[in-house]
Amino acid sequence: MKPSLGLLLLAALWSASLTHAYFYVPNFMSSLPFQGGSAFASRGSSLFIYGGENSTESYTSNMYQLTQTATSYTWQKVPQKSPGPPNRYGQAVISSSGSTMMLLGGMSATTNNQALPLQLYSYNFDQQTWSSWANNNNTNVTNVPLNRQLFSATYDNSSTIYIFGGALNQSAVFSDFYALDTSTFTFTQLQSPNQPRYGHTASLLSDGKLVVIGGVVLTNNNGQTGSSLATMQQVLIYDTKARAWSVQATQPDSTTGTYPSTRSAHNAVVTSDNKIVVFGGDNGADMRNRMYLNAVAILDTTSWTWTIPAVGGIPPSRRSYAVGGLLDGEHLTVAFGSALNTYYNDINTFSLSSSSWLQSFDDSESSSSSSGASAGLIAGVTIAGVALLCIILFLLWRFQSYFRWFVVRIHHDIWKPRTGEPIWAETARIVCQVFLLFIFALFLAFVIRQAIYSPNVTQRIEESAAQVEVPDVRFCFDGFPSYGPNDPREPGVVCQTDTGYSCTNFIQPLNMSIFTPTFASNLGGVSCYLFRSDASFLMTSTSGANNGSRLLFSFFGDPAITYGRVHVSVYPKAMDPNVKVYNINDDIPVIMSDFDVLTWQNNERNDISTSNIYEIEPSTYSALSYSLVDHRYLQSVGWNYVGFAPITNSTPEIESTFRAEAPNPSYAQTHADIGFMAVYPDAYATFIDREVKMYTLLNGLGFVGGIFGLLVAVQAWLFGFRPQSPWGVVHRWSVGDMKRSLLRGLQTNFRTSGSDVPLVNPLLRADSESRGYEPEAMRLARVEERMHTLEHLFKAYYVDDEIFRSLDNATKTMPPSPGGPLFPSEKNPGGPIQRSNTGGFSHMFNRRQSFSSINSDSNSQQHLNERV
């Protein structure tokens, strides 16, 4: 049982409240209260929720209606003309006509630990009023159960409510069983199962059987009273027709062979086919040892077999004391609840058909159709694969000549043995080349992977500026009551700059009826004001005709209140959620998304925001410095891995530093205000935080190039240097007209006789002998043609002829060099070169006597002389 059964929660106790809202309801998510232990009842597709506890109140009396629609939920506060009773851990039922809701039991500040009759209240939906039972405070009334909490109240949708168990406190636990006639408000005590129990559920099946599941059961062992969780291996059943109790054994899950975890303070609903769906709960231990559940279990009451489904989707947080209902027969709705000091304000939807937690009802449709889609996808992929294979085989057959040419071309590009080189040398070169290529691929993959998984780093760019913008500043007075606009004790803020310029006109009150921030201190009423200046209002570092360099805020309120606080928050103008929440219209756009605004509201209502939020005590001097930063976050796009011109999102942010002096006991004697704060820029500069990738593909190019050059050098060192062709891939792999145009250009510009292409057809003596008698002039002309072709090819493809053209220009335009010792003549001292009358290069082939050399091989010399 919760330790708070005998104690009130302290109002100042901070209790963390989280918002998960796994079912996305943006229209009202920020207005959902953080609470648990509420009474609830369903009517049609709606859940009516009353009372409960939250982080600041132990007992509340608000009433809400949560309605499921075809696509989402709606939320509204139910009006109450007369206030209802504060309540926690009570039970609620709605009459079969739907016109009234009855609130049974539960505790409040006046009934906690009090031996009173079961408290009964009735709410009329048409009149929007509450009425109480006449015997609520009659301690002498008989045949009426005592007031209690954590009990079960089950309505038969006719005129009877079955009330079982519950507790007044940790020691007073009940085992009695009553039937309440709602038409006469009379109780009938029924046979008791003699099991003191609380925190259980009691579900009514269509055959009239009342099934009690879970809870904490009191035990008596040799006079020692103890407690334990009720086992899930059996359930307690009351037959409303036979008016008898029985115990029904249950069977474990057929797949896992296990039973659901034992639990208390859980939820249970009955489906149309008499299955009981159980969610959540806790282990019933004291607060220090309490553990919570978010598991779902289903009990089939036909075979009394448990099923623990494999649940998909995002499960809700573990909790107990939640509200739940089966509003459309297909989805279990679970909302609110608590876990230790955490209170939830989310809505969670579980699809019974797909066993998944949904974020929208579209998820349910997609999951239900996923199996059919997957089968169709498999069939489609199979058919497409077969069709693609047939197309490939047909193309191979139809264009087999092209494919053969392609294979041969690949072979020629790879296999290039040099003349006189054995096959093993070329094979070793190819193997080494493949190995080095594999190493290069590994390095390339490493560079790409390094870029993909590169962490982001932030670079701070700071540039001096003469003027800087001012932030928005929100002031919330906590614990300072409102006395009216004409009372000097009314909370308020006045602004001026250090040059005496009044900026109070930029301060506006915020409408607390739209949204009220929550502060865990809960000191009293909250009133907030927002300072939001025009975009042209800037702080200036120099004196003169300007707004000044500091904002000076003075706070006003009741000086007699010393426990109050002023909560200060600062925001960049474009990221101020107050503008959207309070519908402030000005020329400065706010770029926050609706989801971010809702998240901020939930954090504010939970009081868990920590950035740029400060607290000011009365009678203090405070100072706050700030820096407005343009934070450029990298977007999750592939281009940002390249490392050039990154795509970013520009998000204004603020960094602030706060300092407060101790309260001055003489402050009120010399000041009409209750506090003072100065706000000024930390530096007169513009700040840009630019997010970049630590490693990018562009950074890796140098690394990859270095590795590639190293591997090429290793191959050249091992197998010698092989010059590259002046033709590239475009030339070598051109086809059709492109190939013909290249060959035509070569044939036109480099005219040769059929077999006299240099290098391809080397010049040998045997060639001349095979031609028979050939005049000397014809032979020399053929040699000149080969040299001419070779010279033109080298000029076109291998060498840059700039130095040769420079020499040619020099010989044509420069005068001859003067003689003398400083400028010796470079002419041939033996006179002009004697050329053969045959012209050309004939002097190179004149017959001459070969002389033997001491380094010459005699046999070789003999063969040479014979050929000459």
Side-chain angles (χ1 to χ4, degrees), residues 496-554:
Q496 74 171 26
T497 67
D498 57 327
T499 60
Y501 178 82
S502 177
C503 45
T504 306
N505 57 307
F506 295 131
I507 299 176
Q508 54 187 310
L510 300 179
N511 188 352
M512 295 294 97
S513 64
I514 297 177
F515 176 74
T516 304
T518 300
F519 301 104
S521 54
N522 196 29
L523 301 176
V526 175
S527 56
C528 296
Y529 299 83
L530 180 66
F531 170 83
R532 181 174 174 84
S533 66
D534 296 335
S536 60
F537 185 81
L538 304 173
M539 293 284 97
T540 308
S541 59
T542 58
S543 61
N546 52 57
N547 297 325
S549 59
R550 295 188 300 275
L551 295 171
L552 307 177
F553 295 99
S554 298

Side-chain angles (χ1 to χ4, degrees), residues 724-727 742-753 756-761 784-801 804:
Q724 294 296 316
S725 170
W727 269 17
L742 287 172
L743 298 179
R744 193 181 305 116
L746 291 176
Q747 185 182 18
T748 302
N749 293 280
F750 307 101
R751 294 183 177 275
T752 62
S753 57
D756 285 340
V757 178
L759 302 183
V760 177
N761 300 298
E784 285 184 344
E785 180 184 11
R786 292 173 62 92
M787 296 298 294
H788 176 78
T789 302
L790 187 63
E791 181 180 0
H792 274 247
L793 284 172
F794 267 87
K795 174 182 177 181
Y797 289 98
Y798 287 95
V799 299
D800 188 342
D801 65 345
F804 297 95

Side-chain angles (χ1 to χ4, degrees), residues 77-116:
K77 190 172 183 178
V78 179
Q80 304 176 73
K81 292 182 179 179
S82 59
N87 189 275
R88 180 185 68 189
Y89 304 145
Q91 295 289 334
V93 297
I94 295 179
S95 63
S96 57
S97 64
S99 60
T100 59
M101 184 183 78
M102 183 176 295
L103 179 66
L104 301 90
M107 294 296 162
S108 67
T110 58
T111 62
N112 190 45
N113 269 331
Q114 300 298 314
L116 297 172

